[in-house]
Amino acid sequence: MDTSKHTINTLFEQLGLPSDEASVDQFISEHSPLPAGTAIQDAPFWSESQSNFLEEGLEQDSDWAEIIDELDARMRH
């Protein structure tokens, strides 16, 4: 079982994206704001595997759910 603390940076690593602060901020800036009514996992810029990871993390209330929610909130501003 993975007991490490998940952060926005480790989420981006898990998604196969650059995970340094500047890259995370740039990604959020480029893809924000998410349209109202669009679930984060349904956003068009994710690959199928990224979308599936986000969806499963939320549906299963996994250790990743809290940080996925944080990303969602940051992408709606």
Side-chain angles (χ1 to χ4, degrees):
M1 181 169 152
D2 182 8
T3 59
S4 62
K5 173 138 175 53
H6 297 308
T7 65
I8 197 86
N9 305 91
T10 57
L11 175 61
F12 272 63
E13 287 174 16
Q14 189 70 28
L15 293 169
L17 298 169
S19 60
D20 59 277
E21 285 297 322
S23 295
V24 169
D25 289 344
Q26 181 178 356
F27 181 92
I28 292 170
S29 175
E30 287 178 4
H31 297 289
S32 292
L34 284 177
T38 299
I40 189 165
Q41 69 270 17
D42 296 332
F45 47 80
W46 301 121
S47 70
E48 185 176 349
S49 62
Q50 290 168 328
S51 177
N52 289 340
F53 176 81
L54 294 170
E55 184 172 19
E56 288 173 12
L58 292 170
E59 284 181 354
Q60 298 172 5
D61 197 25
S62 74
D63 292 345
W64 290 104
E66 187 175 331
I67 201 68
I68 294 168
D69 286 341
E70 179 185 322
L71 176 61
D72 189 335
R74 288 181 64 181
M75 295 192 74
R76 294 196 186 272
H77 291 272

